């Protein structure tokens, strides 16, 4: 079925294909970068090897979505009545089309999300059937994998009648169907794990963020907290583990469900999205040692050094690309200063902001001593009553799914290839280091 959004998207895709085709045909041999041995061994840091037009991360400025900084995104996107944060649905519209939706366009995408919310019965059964002590991210991933049977893309592909140029269309349908269900999935996981399975029914008159807050059973301003959280976590260009995983898996023409469950698995690592849980675990450890008292600057420094000396990282600090405090941290900090300035946990986080960067600089390992998004997000959740910090990465995952879905739709629309880089051996690297040609070993 077509909508104004889909028609608009189709026009944009047709125009954009000309640009990609021209680059390929006329400039395919232009060199983008060279790659060193330390980049090969060191996680390909800085290697420009992916293309996305949805967002771009500048090391000093931070993320831009479709050219807009986060403050601009928050200012320009439409907001629900009485809300201070924008519609998450409007953000998806922006990421997908590059345009800020007008009132009609916004209403259409809100309606599109609304009519696709309802979960099949088996989703509840999968969540109910997960073994005790499963991590919420494992449950989240399992549910999204199970939903794969709903994929229109897979069904159409299997029919043998889907033309390459039309791949994006059922992918778009799958993406909307899945994203619309995310708040229902996450809040039922929460209810099952921490509220004896007592679930609050969805309210079809609320927007994505408002409905999420409603199903969590938390009053205002948690609806705005949710909107803000999902929007700032939506995208961080193409190379972060979750976005890259989503893109990689989708490049084999796995459908959205399989691609998003894979990205959820990548996000669940402590160096990536799970760091928001780790921050709370670390802070709780300090709080226990302090018996609830706010540590002095000197005491906090000792805790930080203790962690570093035991060979662990300080969660929520450092970044593979950013070389400045993450603007997503700053936005949440501003929110916290307005709403929870006196909260003891916020005061811990505030103290860490003061204490950690000089210590990381003194230690001299981390290339970026500044806090990232994960250093601030958990304390806000905690303040509004979501104290089960194992759940925090699920919240990150809902937001991230929005950006990755937009990316995968465009990957399909532009016909991006199966991702298949070449690997070489250590002996080959040693040959290169010695100035020799690479020779394959027997
Ligand atoms: N605490 C202690 N050591 C650190 C930290 C930190 N927060 N950040 C970097 N380092 C170390 C790092 O482990 C590495 O050590 P070694 O040479 O012994 O391997 C060294 O500094 C150089 O690392 P970088 O090049 O600065 O960082 P890299 O790009 O490799 O990794 C992170 C980036 C984000 C994985 C790293 O900064 C880190 O582990 N941070 C803590 C975990 C975290 O907050 N992750 C969330 C990132 C944001 N997200 O949502 O995904
Ligand atoms: C993200 O949002 O994905 C993280 O900041 C990690 C990254 O960009 O590498």
């Amino acid at each position: 079925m077509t909508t104004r959004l889909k028609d608009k998207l189709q026009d944009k895709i047709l125009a954009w294909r000309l640009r990609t085709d021209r680059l390929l045909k006329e400039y395919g041999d232009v060199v983008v970068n060279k790659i060193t041995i330390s980049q090969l061994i060191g996680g390909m840091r800085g290697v420009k090897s992916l293309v996305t037009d949805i967002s771009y991360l500048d090391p000093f400025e931070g993320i831009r979505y479709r050219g807009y900084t986060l403050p601009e995104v928050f200012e320009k996107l439409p907001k629900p009545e009485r809300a201070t944060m924008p519609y998450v649905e409007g953000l998806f519209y922006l990421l997908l089309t590059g345009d800020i939706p007008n009132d009609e366009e916004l209403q259409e995408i809100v309606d599109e999300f609304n009519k696709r919310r309802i979960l099949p019965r088996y989703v509840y059964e999968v969540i109910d059937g997960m073994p005790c002590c499963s991590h919420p991210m494992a449950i989240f991933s399992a549910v999204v994998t199970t939903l794969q049977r709903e994929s229109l893309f897979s069904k159409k592909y299997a029919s043998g009648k889907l033309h390459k140029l039309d791949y994006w269309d059922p992918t778009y349908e799958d993406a909307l169907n899945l994203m619309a269900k995310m708040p229902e999935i996450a809040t039922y996981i929460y209810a099952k794990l921490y509220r004896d399975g007592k679930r609050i029914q969805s309210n079809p008159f609320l927007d994505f963020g408002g409905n999420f807050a409603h199903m969590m059973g938390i009053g205002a301003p948690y609806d705005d907290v949710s909107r803000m959280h999902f929007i700032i976590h939506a995208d961080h260009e193409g190379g972060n583990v979750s976005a890259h995983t989503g893109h990689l898996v989708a490049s084999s023409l796995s459908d959205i469900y399989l691609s998003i469950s894979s990205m959820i698995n990548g996000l669940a690592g402590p160096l990536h999205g799970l760091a928001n849980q780790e921050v709370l675990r670390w802070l709780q450890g300090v709080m226990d040692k302090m018996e609830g008292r706010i540590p002095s600057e000197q005491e906090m420094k000792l805790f930080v050094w203790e962690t570093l000396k035991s060979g662990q990282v300080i969660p929520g600090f450092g970044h593979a690309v950013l070389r400045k405090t993450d603007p997503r941290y700053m936005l949440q900090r501003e929110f916290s200063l307005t709403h929870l300035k006196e909260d003891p946990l916020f005061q811990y986080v505030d103290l860490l902001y003061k204490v950690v960067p000089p210590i990381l600089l003194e230690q001299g390992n981390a290339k970026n001593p500044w806090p990232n998004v994960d250093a601030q997000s958990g304390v806000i959740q905690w303040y509004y009553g979501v104290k089960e910090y194992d759940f925090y990465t699920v919240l990150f995952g809902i937001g991230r799914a929005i950006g990755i879905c937009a990316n995968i739709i465009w990957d399909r629309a532009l016909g991006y290839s199966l991702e298949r880089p070449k690997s070489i051996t250590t002996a080959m690297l040693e040959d290169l280091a010695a100035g020799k040609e690479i020779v394959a070993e027997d």
Side-chain angles (χ1 to χ4, degrees):
M1 209 192 72
T2 192
T3 56
R4 259 169 306 182
L5 168 56
K6 240 166 122 174
D7 289 343
K8 182 185 221 184
L9 186 59
Q10 175 146 36
D11 290 346
K12 286 186 181 265
I13 288 169
L14 293 177
W16 209 281
R17 273 183 190 153
L18 301 177
R19 296 175 65 183
T20 305
D21 288 350
R22 179 159 181 251
L23 282 168
L24 267 174
K25 284 192 190 116
E26 295 178 32
Y27 303 101
D29 293 331
V30 171
V31 175
V32 177
N33 46 210
K34 62 176 189 175
I35 177 164
T36 62
I37 288 181
S38 61
Q39 285 175 307
L40 262 186
I41 295 176
M44 291 190 283
R45 215 63 88 247
V47 177
K48 299 179 188 77
S49 54
L50 295 159
V51 189
T52 172
D53 299 292
I54 311 284
S55 69
Y56 181 75
L57 181 63
D58 179 86
F60 296 95
E61 184 191 57
I63 195 69
R64 276 183 187 254
Y65 292 163
R66 291 287 190 178
Y68 295 108
T69 62
L70 284 179
E72 286 166 351
V73 166
F74 282 101
E75 191 222 306
K76 288 184 189 302
L77 280 179
K79 301 177 178 73
E81 233 177 278
R82 285 188 293 276
T84 57
M85 300 291 169
Y87 280 99
V88 176
E89 296 91 326
L91 175 81
F92 177 65
Y93 190 101
L94 169 65
L95 295 181
L96 197 59
T97 63
D99 297 340
I100 303 286
N102 62 29
D103 290 348
E104 271 174 46
E105 290 166 335
L106 191 268
Q107 198 50 52
E108 186 187 68
I109 185 78
V110 169
D111 292 345
E112 280 292 304
F113 269 75
N114 261 329
K115 64 186 188 208
R116 299 165 191 253
R117 283 179 180 183
I118 306 298
L119 296 181
R121 180 70 240 156
Y122 64 79
V123 168
Y124 298 104
E125 290 164 4
V126 169
I127 297 173
D128 291 345
M130 288 296 284
C132 129
C133 307
S134 297
H135 192 278
M137 286 298 273
I139 305 177
F140 194 22
S141 163
V143 168
V144 177
T145 302
T146 312
L147 276 166
Q148 191 276 337
R149 67 188 286 284
E150 311 295 330
S151 172
L152 289 171
F153 176 85
S154 291
K155 289 191 185 92
K156 289 205 168 176
Y157 192 89
S159 76
K161 292 184 190 130
L162 187 59
H163 192 284
K164 269 179 163 199
L165 293 175
D166 298 328
Y167 284 172
W168 69 270
D169 185 320
T171 301
Y172 167 96
E173 297 295 338
D174 282 352
L176 257 74
N177 285 336
L178 175 58
M179 280 184 298
K181 292 178 177 56
M182 289 265 176
E184 260 83 354
I185 297 170
T187 51
Y188 187 61
I189 293 173
Y190 186 77
K192 181 72 194 172
L193 292 181
Y194 314 115
R195 296 286 180 270
D196 298 324
K198 289 192 193 92
R199 150 171 105 90
I200 300 173
Q201 294 287 339
S202 154
N203 177 346
F205 299 105
L206 295 175
D207 64 293
F208 190 95
N211 195 35
F212 177 81
H214 160 74
M215 289 187 288
M216 288 292 284
I218 307 175
Y222 191 69
D223 53 341
D224 272 328
V225 167
S226 305
R227 294 181 191 104
M228 173 177 74
H229 188 96
F230 299 145
I231 290 174
I232 63 175
H233 286 86
D235 211 30
H236 221 225
E237 70 169 34
N240 65 76
V241 170
S242 50
H244 188 188
T245 307
H247 167 81
L248 169 70
V249 174
S251 84
S252 75
L253 296 186
S254 280
D255 57 56
I256 280 278
Y257 297 93
L258 297 174
S259 308
I260 295 295
S261 59
S262 306
M263 87 80 181
I264 290 171
N265 295 339
L267 190 67
L271 294 187
H272 190 19
L274 203 84
N276 58 11
Q277 161 182 330
E278 286 295 292
V279 169
L280 256 288
R281 188 180 62 79
W282 192 88
L283 286 172
Q284 290 300 311
V286 176
M287 268 185 141
D288 286 350
K289 284 183 201 152
M290 293 303 300
E291 294 172 339
R293 192 167 58 77
I294 311 282
S296 66
E297 219 174 294
Q298 202 47 38
E299 285 168 323
M300 192 59 114
K301 282 182 184 166
L302 288 176
F303 288 122
V304 172
W305 274 116
E306 212 175 273
T307 300
L308 289 175
K309 283 180 183 153
S310 64
Q312 295 167 54
V313 296
I314 308 297
F317 285 78
H319 201 273
V321 177
L322 284 166
R323 292 295 174 259
K324 204 189 143 220
T325 298
D326 191 336
R328 302 171 297 177
Y329 176 93
M330 290 313 279
L331 273 162
Q332 296 182 97
R333 178 178 163 79
E334 279 159 31
F335 181 92
S336 303
L337 286 169
T338 309
H339 294 273
L340 46 132
K341 195 175 173 200
E342 302 308 327
D343 179 66
L345 204 59
F346 174 68
Q347 291 181 23
Y348 271 61
V349 170
D350 201 31
L351 192 52
L352 280 179
Y353 188 31
K354 221 173 169 182
V355 158
V356 174
I359 295 184
L360 287 178
L361 281 172
E362 187 184 331
Q363 193 205 29
N365 284 354
K367 293 194 185 67
N368 177 42
W370 305 106
N372 60 57
V373 65
D374 296 314
Q376 262 287 326
S377 50
V379 63
I380 301 179
Q381 294 298 325
W382 183 275
Y383 180 77
Y384 289 106
V386 185
K387 298 197 168 163
E388 302 80 2
Y389 48 76
D390 283 11
F391 187 68
Y392 293 172
T393 315
V394 173
L395 302 175
F396 191 152
I398 299 174
R400 186 49 54 92
I402 292 164
I404 299 182
C405 281
N407 269 287
I408 294 174
I409 294 166
W410 272 97
D411 290 348
R412 295 265 155 97
L414 298 177
Y416 286 171
S417 305
L418 172 84
E419 195 180 316
R420 205 315 186 177
K422 180 85 186 82
S423 61
I424 55 176
T425 65
T426 305
M428 290 173 180
L429 285 184
E430 285 163 348
D431 282 349
L432 279 173
K436 295 187 208 152
E437 298 264 306
I438 289 188
V439 183
E441 285 176 281
D442 294 332

